[in-house]
């Protein structure tokens, strides 16, 4: 994406620094304090935001010390007893933890395989519509569910697939057994993926559509002249053109893999039972906040966070190896 | 290039029609059902697309029930205040970081961007909110999720892409940094700010997670929490409605859903056309 500028000729560069324009020279003479004073308005404007990020994203990291404590709310961090890795061993010894891990990975896997390709396919399809008006209409419709909250989406699915919903009623009318997907533990990962597709597949097309716009039209013409048919052009021009974006999205997804939609799953966990509806985040919620097992659930949360971060960093590094940009190289262009 | 084949066109058409129907049908069905009478609901399977005997009974029940009205008020309140606060903080920070020459701006930007890579987790956040005294207050619905690094990046990228000459001209005219923001940058950024504002507003409107974690009293609940109890868990609204309700339970439930979706449907068309522009300045140019 970011193309490297050709190195400037040396004489030109020297010419620039000799020029009388003051900024580059003056900057180095000012002390830090003077520079802060000069930029005070700009820095003051960043202050509320900076304060927010530090307080609500960095300070909670310190709160993870609870994972190494027998935390008692009335004693606080300072006076609760330190227990080393006891919380971790209790968590790892809890079959419910392993069941939640298995469910998380299973749901994530089904999401990755079935949800991930849909926006790409949909974007290719939308991109191939010639009529501008029609394309924009369809886009408006498919973007919309992204803005609807999970509570509403789950409620709507309840009306369509749930016990007294559209699908079981239809099946009943046809003389078939009434099937309630919403409370079928075996179908849970598929239900989650289906809902995610309904909500976010359209929204996911935005970035891919933009990448498609960025492909040089001449490449298509050249390929067509070389005798490439529709499918070969898709394979040799379109897909390589959007590959960086697809890899970027894949990396981001990998990092999120242990955080399969908390709200979405929490809302439906009771219908299928914790056996297949419990994931790591709901485990942390029910054991920590509901049952006051602060230490153990913080330990689980910490493990999850560390694995997630390692996955993003690892995947990003891997993408760099492959010669792609990854997520945060050039994040500050 | 060769003309598209008829088979290809038909296939494409069928798929796209199915996609549009899959999205639109449930939404229209919910709206239709909320106006349906008992006979309509018995006659239909699941959702009523077009009630034969439309009635406003469901909405009468909802708005005399008290619970939904109060939740609606809470949701509107946190959405308005939250969006305003989030926009102020994000615009300020994005503008403050939009000039590379500002001392320390790179470090501050990185501090914000790194938060995209990790998440502090449920327990530490809960304990923090508790210790700050925010537990069971409306502020807990706004402050812990005040800003998103993604929206910050979107706005900053837009500010940076404004032509440098504009800033120079304003500076020559004697405008300071703050005046440039108010009189030059903001008027030119209405579209992007509308998009980012919508993102924030939608997040507050749909806030479920924060209210589940941090609100103890059910009379402080915003709409999503009420939806969960009355629609998903199927508790009856009619107790609160003094027992004089004639509206069928399904219609009432769908009515509550409609009340929750309509504000989004109203704002959406006005902001929708800026999406691509808004999202992409952030995502692609980053």
């Amino acid at each position: 994406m970011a193309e490297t500028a050709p190195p400037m000729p040396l004489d030109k560069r020297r010419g620039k620094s000799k020029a009388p324009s003051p900024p580059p020279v003056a900057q180095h003479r000012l002390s830090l304090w003077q520079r802060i004073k000069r930029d005070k308005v700009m820095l003051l404007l960043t202050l509320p935001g900076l304060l927010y990020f530090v307080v609500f994203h960095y300070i909670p990291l310190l709160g993870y010390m609870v994972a190494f404590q027998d935390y008692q709310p009335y004693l606080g961090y300072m006076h609760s007893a330190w227990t080393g890795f006891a919380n971790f061993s209790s968590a790892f010894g809890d079959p419910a933890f392993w069941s939640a891990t298995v469910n998380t990975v299973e749901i994530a896997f089904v999401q990755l395989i079935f949800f991930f390709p849909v926006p790409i396919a949909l974007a290719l399809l939308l991109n191939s519509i010639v009529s501008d008006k029609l394309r924009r209409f369809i886009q408006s419709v498919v973007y919309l569910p992204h803005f609807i909250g999970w509570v509403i989406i789950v409620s709507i699915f309840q009306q369509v697939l749930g016990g007294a919903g559209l699908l079981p009623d239809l099946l009943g009318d046809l003389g078939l057994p009434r099937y309630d997907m919403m409370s079928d533990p075996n179908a849970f990962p598929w239900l989650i993926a289906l809902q995610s597709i309904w909500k976010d597949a359209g929204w996911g097309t935005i970035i891919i559509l933009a990448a498609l716009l960025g492909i040089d039209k001449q490449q298509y013409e050249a390929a067509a002249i070389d005798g490439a048919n529709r499918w070969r052009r898709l394979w040799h021009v379109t897909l390589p053109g959007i590959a960086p974006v697809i890899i970027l999205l894949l990396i981001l997804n990998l990092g999120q893999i242990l955080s399969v939609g908390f709200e979405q799953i929490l809302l439906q966990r009771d219908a299928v039972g914790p056996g297949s509806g419990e994931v790591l985040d709901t485990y942390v919620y029910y054991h920590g906040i509901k049952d006051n097992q602060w230490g153990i659930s913080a330990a689980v949360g910490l493990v999850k966070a560390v694995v997630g971060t390692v996955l993003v960093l690892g995947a990003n590094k891997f993408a760099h190896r492959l010669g792609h940009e990854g997520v945060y190289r050039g994040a500050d262009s | 290039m060769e003309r598209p084949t008829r088979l290809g066109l038909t296939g494409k058409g069928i798929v796209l029609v199915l996609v549009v129907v899959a999205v639109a049908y449930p939404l229209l069905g919910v709206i239709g059902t909320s106006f349906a009478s008992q006979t309509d609901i018995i006659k239909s399977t699941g959702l009523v697309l077009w009630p034969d005997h439309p009635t406003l009974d469901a909405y009468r029940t909802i708005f005399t029930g008290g619970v939904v009205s109060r939740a609606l008020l809470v949701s509107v309140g946190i959405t308005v205040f939250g969006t305003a606060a989030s926009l102020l903080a994000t615009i300020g920070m994005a503008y403050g970081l939009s000039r590379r020459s500002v001392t320390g701006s790179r470090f501050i930007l990185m501090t914000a961007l790194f938060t995209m890579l990790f998440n502090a987790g449920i327990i530490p956040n809960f304990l923090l909110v508790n210790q700050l005294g925010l537990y069971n207050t409306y502020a807990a619905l706004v402050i812990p999720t005040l800003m998103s690094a993604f929206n910050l990046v979107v706005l900053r990228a837009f500010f940076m892409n404004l032509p440098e000459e504009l800033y120079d001209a304003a500076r020559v005219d004697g405008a300071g940094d703050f005046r440039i923001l108010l009189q030059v940058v903001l008027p030119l950024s209405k579209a992007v700010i509308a998009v980012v504002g919508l993102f924030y507003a939608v997040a507050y409107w749909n806030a479920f997670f924060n209210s589940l974690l941090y609100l103890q009293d059910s009379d402080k609940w915003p709409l999503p929490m009420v939806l969960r109890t009355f629609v998903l868990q199927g508790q009856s609204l009619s107790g609160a409605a003094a027992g004089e309700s004639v509206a069928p339970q399904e219609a009432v439930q769908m009515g509550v859903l409609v009340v929750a979706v309509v504000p989004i449907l109203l704002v959406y068309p006005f902001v929708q056309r800026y999406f691509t522009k808004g999202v992409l300045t952030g995502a692609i140019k980053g």
Side-chain angles (χ1 to χ4, degrees):
Chain A
M1 265 178 260
E3 40 195 292
T4 44
M8 231 185 266
L10 209 59
D11 51 305
K12 232 184 184 173
R13 243 190 281 175
R14 206 175 289 145
K16 216 171 193 175
S17 69
K18 263 187 195 164
S21 62
V25 187
Q27 217 163 31
H28 290 286
R29 291 219 189 111
L30 293 171
S31 71
L32 179 69
W33 181 243
Q34 282 171 313
R35 296 210 314 264
I36 291 177
K37 255 174 93 177
R38 181 196 62 195
D39 297 332
K40 60 176 183 293
V41 175
M42 299 296 269
L43 289 174
L44 269 177
L45 283 169
T46 66
L47 210 57
L50 182 65
L51 202 66
Y52 163 75
F53 282 111
V54 170
V55 172
F56 285 95
H57 289 266
Y58 288 90
I59 289 182
L61 296 182
L62 296 176
Y64 268 126
M65 69 171 87
V66 169
F68 305 94
Q69 287 181 332
D70 177 24
Y71 181 77
Q72 303 294 336
Y74 54 90
L75 291 176
Y77 299 124
M78 292 307 142
H79 303 285
S80 293
W82 291 90
T83 57
F85 286 89
N87 288 324
F88 292 87
S89 22
S90 333
F92 294 151
D94 180 5
F97 165 75
W98 292 109
S99 154
T101 307
V102 170
N103 288 337
T104 307
V105 173
E106 193 187 355
I107 290 171
F109 195 68
V110 173
Q111 289 263 41
L112 202 60
I113 294 189
F114 289 90
F115 173 72
F116 188 75
V118 178
I120 300 169
L122 193 57
L124 290 173
L125 202 60
L126 281 171
N127 193 49
S128 73
I129 301 175
V130 188
S131 158
D132 235 23
K133 256 192 190 147
L134 183 64
R135 198 185 62 230
R136 262 191 239 130
F137 169 73
I138 297 175
Q139 275 175 307
S140 315
V141 174
V142 297
Y143 291 168
L144 180 63
H146 173 75
F147 297 95
I148 299 176
W150 275 117
V151 182
I152 299 174
I153 289 188
V154 172
S155 307
I156 292 176
F157 266 77
Q158 184 69 38
Q159 287 302 310
V160 178
L161 301 179
L166 188 65
L167 184 73
D169 277 354
L170 269 179
L171 290 175
D173 287 351
L174 294 172
L176 296 164
R178 300 173 64 92
Y179 174 62
D180 177 4
M181 189 180 184
M182 301 285 287
S183 58
D184 178 1
N186 295 319
F188 193 64
W190 306 92
L191 179 71
I192 296 298
L194 192 64
Q195 290 167 341
S196 301
I197 291 174
W198 195 80
K199 186 179 195 306
D200 279 327
W203 187 248
T205 62
I206 286 192
I207 287 180
I208 294 161
L209 281 170
L212 286 170
L213 274 180
I215 298 175
D216 190 355
K217 292 281 170 294
Q218 290 183 352
Q219 286 193 38
Y220 285 105
E221 283 158 26
I225 290 167
D226 287 348
N229 66 21
R230 195 182 313 282
W231 297 106
R232 292 201 73 101
R233 288 200 300 266
L234 177 72
W235 186 251
H236 291 289
V237 181
T238 311
L239 287 181
I242 58 175
V245 175
I246 293 178
I247 287 171
L248 182 130
L249 293 176
L250 200 57
I251 294 171
L252 289 175
N253 268 293
L254 280 177
Q256 296 292 312
I257 206 159
L258 297 183
S259 307
V260 284
F262 175 74
E263 288 189 12
Q264 183 188 9
I265 290 172
L266 187 79
L267 285 165
Q268 304 180 80
R269 171 184 175 275
D270 294 340
V272 293
S276 52
E278 190 88 289
V279 292
L280 287 172
D281 279 336
T282 56
Y283 178 95
V284 171
Y285 173 74
Y286 279 101
H287 285 72
I289 289 170
K290 290 270 156 190
D291 298 341
N292 297 318
Q293 295 181 3
W294 302 101
I296 294 178
S297 44
V300 172
L302 182 56
V303 170
K304 196 203 112 196
V306 169
V307 173
T309 308
V310 167
L311 280 174
V312 193
L313 295 178
N316 199 50
K317 188 137 248 158
F318 187 66
H320 285 173
R321 284 272 161 76
L322 293 176
H324 288 285
E325 263 193 84
V327 180
Y328 47 81
R329 182 182 287 179
D332 173 45
S333 71
Chain B
M1 274 182 241
E2 73 257 57
R3 290 179 51 78
T5 62
R6 177 167 294 179
L7 186 70
L9 272 183
T10 322
K12 232 187 267 175
I14 291 173
V15 172
L16 287 172
V17 168
L18 282 180
V19 168
V20 170
V21 168
V23 174
Y25 177 78
L27 291 178
L28 295 176
V30 166
I31 296 173
T33 310
S34 72
F35 291 104
S37 64
Q38 191 70 54
T39 41
D40 291 326
I41 288 173
I42 292 171
K43 218 169 54 187
S44 77
T45 51
L47 296 169
V48 182
L49 214 46
W50 194 259
D52 292 326
H53 310 283
T55 152
L56 287 172
D57 285 350
Y59 292 95
R60 226 164 274 144
T61 309
I62 291 168
F63 289 109
T64 52
V67 179
V68 177
S69 317
R70 192 169 53 212
L72 197 60
L73 209 64
V74 173
S75 274
V76 169
I78 61 160
T79 302
V80 170
F81 283 108
T83 307
S86 293
L87 272 182
L88 279 179
T90 313
I91 290 171
M93 195 171 186
Y95 177 68
L97 299 178
S98 65
R99 231 174 286 146
R100 256 176 270 250
S101 62
V102 171
T103 313
S105 64
R106 199 184 149 76
F107 174 74
I108 297 174
L109 179 70
M110 283 305 155
T111 306
L113 286 186
F114 267 126
T115 64
M116 286 167 122
L117 291 179
F118 63 87
N119 190 334
I122 299 167
I123 302 292
N125 274 323
F126 181 83
L127 296 175
L128 177 72
V129 166
N130 239 332
Q131 271 151 8
L132 294 175
L134 297 176
Y135 186 70
N136 210 20
T137 65
Y138 292 125
L141 302 187
V142 174
I143 298 177
T145 44
L146 184 72
M147 285 181 69
S148 103
F150 177 80
N151 288 341
L152 175 72
V153 173
V154 170
L155 274 185
R156 174 175 172 270
F158 187 88
F159 293 160
M160 289 182 83
N161 284 338
L162 292 175
E164 192 60 39
E165 290 80 12
L166 278 171
Y167 292 97
D168 292 340
R171 234 169 271 142
V172 168
D173 289 343
D177 288 327
F178 193 63
R179 248 183 95 161
I180 296 179
L181 172 64
L182 288 186
Q183 298 190 337
V184 179
V185 174
L186 286 187
L188 290 171
S189 315
K190 281 184 204 132
V192 163
I193 290 173
V195 173
V196 169
L198 177 79
F199 289 165
Y200 279 129
V202 164
Y204 287 120
W205 184 254
N206 290 328
F208 170 69
F209 181 69
N210 280 346
S211 32
L212 179 76
L213 281 183
Y214 306 133
L215 284 188
Q216 196 180 24
D217 304 341
S218 59
D219 58 356
K220 287 184 179 165
W221 280 355
L223 209 47
M225 287 292 280
V226 170
L227 278 174
R228 185 200 190 204
T229 38
F230 290 121
V231 183
L232 277 179
Q233 298 176 340
Q235 283 182 26
S236 173
L237 257 186
S238 48
E244 53 187 316
S245 159
V246 281
Q249 177 80 2
E250 289 92 333
V252 176
Q253 291 181 341
M254 294 308 103
V256 184
L257 281 186
V258 171
V259 171
V261 179
V262 157
I264 296 171
L265 293 180
L266 288 182
V267 184
Y268 183 75
F270 299 100
V271 192
Q272 195 262 123
R273 64 202 159 108
Y274 301 123
F275 282 162
T276 325
K277 205 167 138 203
V279 174
L280 292 178
T281 38
I284 301 297
K285 298 221 168 127

